[in-house]
Amino acid sequence: MAGTIEPSRWGGWGFRISGSGIAYVARRGPGIVISRRSGRSIAITVDNPEQRAALANALLARLPVG
């Protein structure tokens, strides 16, 4: 899912591990957020997050179920 990454939510800049999950925050702004089954997330700041989120969803759709 594409979204806006706020450094304060993840504990600052850089590679962060928090109660929300894992993040690589290089800047404030656009990024992708992957929600895991455990309820924790992985967030990464990137340019053009919509395209990257679509690619991640397409790859996940190809995985076998089960």
Side-chain angles (χ1 to χ4, degrees):
M1 174 170 136
T4 300
I5 307 296
E6 295 290 338
S8 59
R9 177 174 181 239
W10 297 95
W13 304 98
F15 181 75
R16 298 289 178 207
I17 300 174
S18 72
S20 298
I22 299 170
Y24 178 72
V25 183
R27 62 177 181 239
R28 182 177 153 257
I32 58 171
V33 180
I34 301 169
S35 299
R36 298 172 58 198
R37 289 182 188 162
S38 66
R40 297 183 75 182
S41 299
I42 299 171
I44 306 165
T45 55
V46 294
D47 291 328
N48 197 359
E50 293 83 11
Q51 182 181 20
R52 287 167 169 73
L55 175 61
N57 287 330
L59 291 172
L60 287 171
R62 295 179 67 181
L63 291 175
V65 177

